[in-house]
Amino acid sequence: MRLNCPHCGPRDRREFYYYGSADYLNRPAADAALQAWDDYLHNRDNPAGVTQDLWYHEQGCTAWLKVKRNTVTHEILSVEPVAGGAA
Amino acid sequence: MRYSGLKVITEGLFGNKGWRPAWRDPAPKAEYDAIIIGGGGHGLSTAYYLAKNHGMTNIAVLEKGYLGSGNIGRNTTIVRANYFLPGNSEFYSHSLKLWEGLEGELNYNVMHSQRGLINLFHSDGQRDAFVRRGNSMINQGDDAILLDREGVREHLPYLDFDNTRFPIYGGLLHPRGGTARHDAVAWGYARGADKRGVDLIQNCEVTGIDVENGRVIGVQTTRGAIRAKKVGIVVAGRSSQVAAMAGMRLPIESHILQAFVTEGLKPVINHVVSFGMGHFYISQSDKGGLVFGGDLDFYASYAARGNLPMVEHVMEAGMTLMPMIGRAKVLRSWGGIMDMSPDGSPIIDKTHIDGLFIDCGWNYGGFKAVPASGWCMAHLMATGESHAVARRFKLNRFATGHILDEEGTGSQHNLH
Ligand SMILES: Cc1cc2nc3c(=O)[nH]c(=O)nc-3n(C[C@H](O)[C@H](O)[C@H](O)COP(=O)(O)OP(=O)(O)OC[C@H]3O[C@@H](n4cnc5c(N)ncnc54)[C@H](O)[C@@H]3O)c2cc1C
Ligand SMILES: [Zn+2]
């Protein structure tokens, strides 16, 4: 599997660290209800199909990337930087 | 039909014409007292113990493919009770005891082989952790023996003891640990459940869960609607999809785990051995193949096929630990979909819907749990109460902070 880093170009999966679902971008407010924090930290849609998740280009440009991909076929649909990318 | 050595001999003499299918192939009835979704190891053992321990025989297992087509037939078959945390420790201890009587119980050869499991350690800190783990195993009534470097050498003379990155300081030997034949466990429970009247319905995918006024009333399937007041979700890697049919969002992320097997060799590895480089572990099957694997691929996936970096890593770890296996040819590799929970421990619990129960979050360790998981899930479905050895496997423990993080790595799906 290769991810097409917007800064570095297509790179081997080994250069990246997988963090988890892009749900992590929607951090609740500090005083949000317990349920919101539980959802944010633990509960997942976990789709069999298209998903969005966060990858860190650890051995490249060190950017955090939002990756849209298919969990069934390994197809990568888009890779964009988290910082400054379309939300 | 009872299986026995005599039966094998007489059938052999008369052309093997007397064998009958091990279970029926019934059409689904309109209604059951209970339905179990998923015909893997856990679903079949749940059905077996519902019938055997609780007298619930008007029940069905609904399986979307064929029985045992999921992870139960894809795992590397390690059976052990070397857990550390209260909550896990008593559960896996109970499971190992059930394994030890399983062949007599099921009248089925599950090839349970207690060949001993050795977890190697490579630093002083790791040794301390293993001493502690061994003590908690002994406190639980199970067995653990601390081996020093020379002790390991007596058991495993073929290791590379002079590795500089992962020097072998010793190992924790769990003599009652070992392996079993994965398919046979599913088949044995299936046959036992069928014999007690359970309908095992294959090619029957659940496509919806019907809920009325907060109570479950049945399921929709590719073979029509089936009513039941109790429904258990026992679908391992597909837990999120099936729970979503009841409007639930689970603390589960599905990941892929790969495994490998070589051509058959003469007996050479007599134990199950695990190594500190990644999660590398290895054993030799009764057919002679070396069966081994390592870590997850570490990204959410439903592709029952992994990526090459993990293949390379596992091979490197194997060669680092025991260079002698380098000449063996790998025959096959495959992957299975693991239901990863944030803390690496399972869930056996009620849900917010009356009559709907869930058994999931087995991560990469659910094979050894098959007997106890079925035992406890059956107890829960029959009585409405958690079994004593599974009382910490709560669905809401992440919200309440009662996590069971055996590895101590954190409450996040990709850390286990
Ligand atoms: C490579 C690998 C190595 C492993 N090694 C070990 C090991 O050494 N030791 C150990 O303890 N564990 C191990 N495991 C983990 C273990 O295999 C699993 O945790 C366990 O098998 C999961 O439970 P199960 O048997 O019920 O799952 P499965 O066999 O996957 O059963 C789930 C069933 O549900 C069915 N299903 C799904 N959706 C639906 C639906 N909508 N309707 C009807 N049916 C449905 C599926 O078809 C499937 O048959 C390993 C796993 C893998 C992949
Ligand atoms: Zn980059």
Side-chain angles (χ1 to χ4, degrees):
Chain A
M1 185 159 80
R2 278 185 195 163
L3 296 182
N4 193 3
C5 175
H7 306 125
C8 315
R11 294 299 184 96
D12 189 273
R13 182 259 175 276
R14 263 172 280 220
E15 295 187 4
F16 299 87
Y17 168 75
Y18 167 83
Y19 185 55
S21 162
D23 291 0
Y24 280 126
L25 294 177
N26 306 317
R27 191 183 173 87
D31 58 354
L34 180 66
Q35 182 65 48
W37 278 100
D38 187 30
D39 280 340
Y40 167 70
L41 289 169
H42 307 120
N43 298 326
R44 296 289 173 259
D45 289 337
N46 191 22
V50 176
T51 196
Q52 295 207 63
D53 40 31
L54 302 182
W55 297 69
Y56 177 55
H57 198 180
E58 193 172 25
Q59 293 169 48
C61 61
T62 71
W64 280 96
L65 304 170
K66 185 155 96 177
V67 177
K68 194 187 223 182
R69 61 189 182 92
N70 189 316
T71 56
V72 178
T73 62
H74 278 124
E75 188 185 1
I76 308 290
L77 300 165
S78 69
V79 183
E80 51 183 66
V82 168
Chain B
M1 180 193 294
R2 247 196 99 70
Y3 296 153
S4 66
L6 185 65
K7 180 84 191 151
V8 171
I9 293 168
T10 39
E11 282 300 328
L13 289 174
F14 298 103
N16 285 307
K17 294 199 182 90
W19 299 114
R20 297 280 163 270
W23 50 82
R24 298 162 296 133
D25 185 20
K29 292 192 227 163
E31 178 159 6
Y32 290 95
D33 294 339
I35 283 173
I36 292 142
I37 310 174
H42 294 243
L44 292 166
S45 64
T46 300
Y48 177 83
Y49 291 118
L50 271 173
K52 160 115 202 272
N53 294 356
H54 304 281
M56 290 181 65
T57 52
N58 181 31
I59 65 174
V61 175
L62 309 181
E63 165 54 49
K64 76 172 174 187
Y66 58 90
L67 297 182
S69 52
N71 286 330
I72 189 67
R74 290 169 179 266
N75 64 76
T76 42
T77 78
I78 300 171
V79 174
R80 56 186 167 91
N82 60 350
Y83 284 71
F84 172 66
L85 290 178
N88 281 332
S89 182
E90 61 265 39
F91 175 82
Y92 290 101
S93 179
H94 182 59
S95 206
L96 185 55
K97 286 177 201 131
L98 292 173
W99 275 106
E100 289 172 333
L102 201 57
E103 292 172 344
E105 168 77 27
L106 298 176
N107 175 230
Y108 207 93
N109 183 6
V110 301
M111 298 165 74
H112 183 215
S113 157
Q114 295 182 289
R115 56 187 66 183
L117 169 100
I118 299 178
N119 297 123
L120 299 169
F121 49 80
H122 314 283
S123 67
D124 290 332
Q126 244 189 342
R127 182 198 288 117
D128 290 348
F130 274 109
V131 169
R132 218 170 145 214
R133 176 173 297 268
N135 284 337
S136 80
M137 290 159 68
I138 291 166
N139 282 342
Q140 185 56 52
D142 295 316
D143 58 340
I145 299 169
L146 194 76
L147 302 175
D148 62 9
R149 188 178 154 90
E150 290 315 305
V152 171
R153 205 190 288 274
E154 270 174 40
H155 287 276
L156 313 172
Y158 48 78
L159 301 185
D160 178 0
F161 283 82
D162 302 319
N163 178 318
T164 46
R165 174 61 186 85
F166 293 96
I168 293 169
Y169 275 40
L172 189 65
L173 169 65
H174 173 35
R176 284 163 66 224
T179 60
R181 172 75 203 268
H182 47 15
D183 301 310
V185 178
W187 298 334
Y189 274 117
R191 174 168 165 271
D194 173 86
K195 207 164 73 187
R196 286 175 165 77
V198 176
D199 280 359
L200 307 175
I201 301 167
Q202 309 184 56
N203 299 312
C204 182
E205 178 169 354
V206 171
T207 53
I209 297 178
D210 297 332
V211 179
E212 221 175 68
N213 302 323
R215 277 206 62 88
V216 73
I217 56 166
V219 297
Q220 299 292 326
T221 80
T222 47
R223 297 177 70 174
I226 309 177
R227 304 290 86 178
K229 293 195 176 64
K230 289 183 179 182
V231 174
I233 302 174
V234 195
V235 294
R238 292 276 166 176
S239 295
S240 296
Q241 279 71 43
V242 176
M245 295 173 193
M248 293 162 63
R249 205 161 165 262
L250 297 179
I252 297 288
E253 193 171 272
S254 294
H255 281 245
I256 179 161
L257 178 70
Q258 304 193 61
F260 309 84
V261 65
T262 69
E263 60 192 331
L265 305 170
K266 288 193 175 170
V268 56
I269 296 177
N270 302 327
H271 307 71
V272 181
V273 184
S274 83
F275 181 36
M277 178 174 163
H279 264 163
F280 181 83
Y281 61 92
I282 188 165
S283 68
Q284 187 166 17
S285 80
D286 290 353
K287 277 193 289 190
L290 304 181
V291 180
F292 56 99
D295 269 317
L296 297 173
D297 270 35
F298 287 126
Y299 53 90
S301 176
Y302 287 85
R305 188 162 58 93
N307 247 291
L308 291 173
M310 194 46 72
V311 177
E312 186 178 41
H313 171 76
V314 170
M315 300 300 160
E316 283 171 358
M319 286 300 291
T320 304
L321 178 64
M322 41 178 86
M324 70 168 182
I325 65 174
R327 303 285 288 272
K329 293 190 174 69
V330 174
L331 277 190
R332 285 189 304 279
S333 73
W334 65 93
I337 313 300
M338 321 280 40
D339 36 333
M340 300 303 295
S341 65
D343 60 1
S345 294
I347 292 161
I348 303 178
D349 205 357
K350 305 177 203 183
T351 67
H352 69 290
I353 295 166
D354 276 348
L356 185 66
F357 304 88
I358 188 152
D359 175 307
C360 67
W362 293 101
N363 298 271
Y364 35 77
F367 178 65
K368 68 182 92 65
V370 164
S373 166
W375 185 282
C376 295
M377 182 66 169
H379 182 94
L380 176 69
M381 288 183 70
T383 66
E385 301 295 328
S386 291
H387 189 280
V389 300
R391 69 188 191 291
R392 300 206 194 193
F393 296 162
K394 294 285 186 232
L395 180 55
N396 70 352
R397 69 173 179 270
F398 306 100
T400 61
H402 294 88
I403 60 166
L404 280 170
D405 183 1
E406 187 78 23
E407 292 184 346
T409 45
S411 186
Q412 192 176 304
H413 304 94
N414 67 329
L415 294 181
H416 298 276

